[in-house]
Amino acid sequence: MCGIIGYVGKEPAAPKLILGLKRLEYRGYDSAGIAVRGKEGFSVYKRKGRVSGLESAKDLTGGCGIGHTRWATHGEPSERNAHPHIYGKFAVVHNGIIENYRELKEECRARGEEFASDTDSEIVAHLLAFYDGGNVLAALKTVCARLKGSYALAVMCSDGEDALYVARRKSPMIVGKGETGLYAASDVPAVAECGELYSLADGEFAVLKGGDIRFYTAEGEIRKEKMARGSAEDIPEKGGYAHFMLKEMYEIPASIANSLVDFEENSRFLAFNIVLCHTEYIQIVACGTAYHSGIAAKYAIERLARIPVEVTVASEYRYCNPIVKENTLVLAISQSGETADTLAAATLAKERGATVAAVTNVRDSSITRIAHFVLYTNAGREIAVAATKSFNAQLALLYSIAVALATAKGRAARFEALRVLPSLSAQTLAGIEEIKKVVPLFAEADSVYFIGRGADHCAALEGSLKLKEISYLPSEGYPAGELKHGTLALIGEKTPVVAILTQRALAEKTMNAVSEVYARGGKVLLVTNIPELAAREEVFESVLLPACEELFSPILSVIPLQALAYYTAVFRGNDPDKPRNLAKSVTVE
Ligand code: F6R
């Protein structure tokens, strides 16, 4: 989603801003811009499209500037809507959504002010100009008190000394000290050169000036602890792979191995284990790919621990007046830990008395401040917009929870069945290039369907989501039994259908659906661990998976589906790392 970078220091700001924006490109955006403070006021460069369009701004000389990558919410992707927004002596970049911007705009218009963009963000520059009494921090505090919604803001003023003013509410903002100056950014990779980083909490402000950073709340100045630094801030490298997505798929075995937790063995999770003993109901809230891992968790937890699990898309949970009974554990799953809908759902669940455990891949992300317990997947930073290794890591952690819950409830479940998953995923990966032979069929299809029963349903949903988001092919995932209740009408000559079949007890039932597709001329790609099924005449092509505990098979069966999406996207000339219209972390509602 949108990205922010700011620099104030001894060197020209423009090249640093452009570099920072390039490092934020993976988040997804549709326009970009920078503003640099010079003797004659601001120099502003904005472009629709890629950050590379800003290269001509590199020679600007000022040492103070702000930059932004915009993912359009209010107003089309265009130069006029790109940030920074300038009004009077203020330049502003903003992430988030100002929910009351319409009424605030009316107020400004009534004073005769005109707006240069269709965005909600521009209002901040207008309000700063209105409340400016010579103290920018005081004006920023007053403006923030008037805003409803979410924001990370970086502000610069054309008079006075070189300085940046930043603020945060429900949208990440960090500041840091580098060798040549001070930085502000929405995400760590943008400021990888900083030796010291500080993460702002909601309601906090920072002023970056004269080589020093000072922190404030609305009430006054505060002290802040430095952020602990881990490998997460490494500058992303493709490591010889054509795309981050492919590299990240090859990191799946390590991400599974690093995310499995033997809760019984690990005393660090003692308190969480006690919660598991008392848990009678589970609710899972998540979005997109994380929602699919919730569906896989439901199958595993209900089967192993016999505890009822409800999985709800987070954006629905928050508005469905959820019933939270006593002893309910809510698992809020979010790779980024910043998804606005998941944060809101987790907050609501907590207010209603649930114990909330966050499953996230990002240390110190916003969800870690809401949850009672934080369970980290250790997939490493994921750069490609389409989630791959983080999904497999989520499954590894959620299956570990299923085993721990079963143990807590005195039911038989073996953690050993999970220990083999890293090596089985490596075996699965070794064969992924095979999938290329069906890519031309898929790449030219009008639509594609994915079907699976039981635990395989989650892989069908995730395979379909991957394909649509990076290859732009219309695609749907269904429980296999649903096909005949409507979708069969869409199956015709050469329609590709991916059937995932890893549950022996359900094999013949799913093969009925495969036969129905075959009878109508559809082409079935069977992803299975049952060799004899692959030889059936109804099967057009097959991928044979290594045998594993059936309940956990989605962690393997999704791998060829991720590969299918990747190679189809490349075949169609798309950039799989930066799908159109999508963002890596969706920080707006
Ligand atoms: C799909 C994808 C998205 C995310 C969703 C939730 O590849 O990446 O569907 O899964 O936006 O994101 P997180 O997990 O960060 O909450």
Side-chain angles (χ1 to χ4, degrees), residues 6 35 77 121 143 181 203 227 322 324 339 353 393 408 420 474 476 479 489 503 519 546 554 556 565:
S121 310
V143 171
M227 268 170 82
V324 178
T339 299
V420 292
E476 296 288 354
Q503 314 289 301
L556 302 183

Side-chain angles (χ1 to χ4, degrees), residues 30 35 51 60 170 229 258 291 308 339 357 381 385 391 396 408 414 471 502 551 555 570:
D30 38 48
V51 173
L60 292 173
K170 293 189 187 164
R229 302 202 63 182
N258 295 337
Y291 170 74
T339 299
R381 184 173 280 273
V385 166
F391 175 72
R414 292 177 320 117
S471 75
T502 65
L551 196 54
I555 207 166
V570 173

Side-chain angles (χ1 to χ4, degrees), residues 286-291 333-340 342 359 382 384-388 390 394 462 465-466 469 582-586:
C287 304
T289 289
Y291 170 74
I333 310 171
S334 173
Q335 184 284 130
S336 62
E338 300 294 350
T339 299
T342 310
V359 174
E382 193 172 63
V385 166
T388 53
S390 65
Q394 281 165 358
E462 179 56 9
L465 178 64
K466 283 295 86 95
E469 66 181 324
L582 298 181
K584 185 65 185 162
S585 61
V586 184

Side-chain angles (χ1 to χ4, degrees), residues 290-312:
Y291 170 74
H292 298 156
S293 69
I295 291 179
K298 174 183 165 73
Y299 279 104
I301 294 170
E302 290 189 339
R303 181 86 68 85
L304 293 177
R306 303 304 293 157
I307 294 175
V309 182
E310 240 179 295
V311 193
T312 312

Side-chain angles (χ1 to χ4, degrees), residues 448-485:
V448 178
Y449 303 94
F450 290 73
I451 56 172
R453 265 175 211 269
D456 292 330
H457 174 212
C458 122
L461 293 177
E462 179 56 9
S464 168
L465 178 64
K466 283 295 86 95
L467 189 72
K468 73 181 103 172
E469 66 181 324
I470 60 170
S471 75
Y472 315 147
L473 285 166
S475 163
E476 296 288 354
Y478 292 104
E482 273 294 287
L483 199 65
K484 57 187 176 296
H485 295 291

Side-chain angles (χ1 to χ4, degrees), residues 295-371:
I295 291 179
K298 174 183 165 73
Y299 279 104
I301 294 170
E302 290 189 339
R303 181 86 68 85
L304 293 177
R306 303 304 293 157
I307 294 175
V309 182
E310 240 179 295
V311 193
T312 312
V313 168
S315 54
E316 290 296 319
Y317 185 91
R318 55 190 298 195
Y319 298 117
C320 73
N321 196 4
I323 299 167
V324 178
K325 294 190 189 157
E326 215 178 317
N327 294 328
T328 295
L329 171 66
V330 168
L331 296 172
I333 310 171
S334 173
Q335 184 284 130
S336 62
E338 300 294 350
T339 299
D341 288 320
T342 310
L343 297 183
T347 307
L348 178 61
K350 194 174 171 187
E351 282 164 11
R352 300 217 163 169
T355 301
V356 177
V359 174
T360 183
N361 197 36
V362 180
R363 309 256 144 198
D364 301 322
S365 53
S366 298
I367 204 153
T368 66
R369 297 189 197 132
I370 296 168

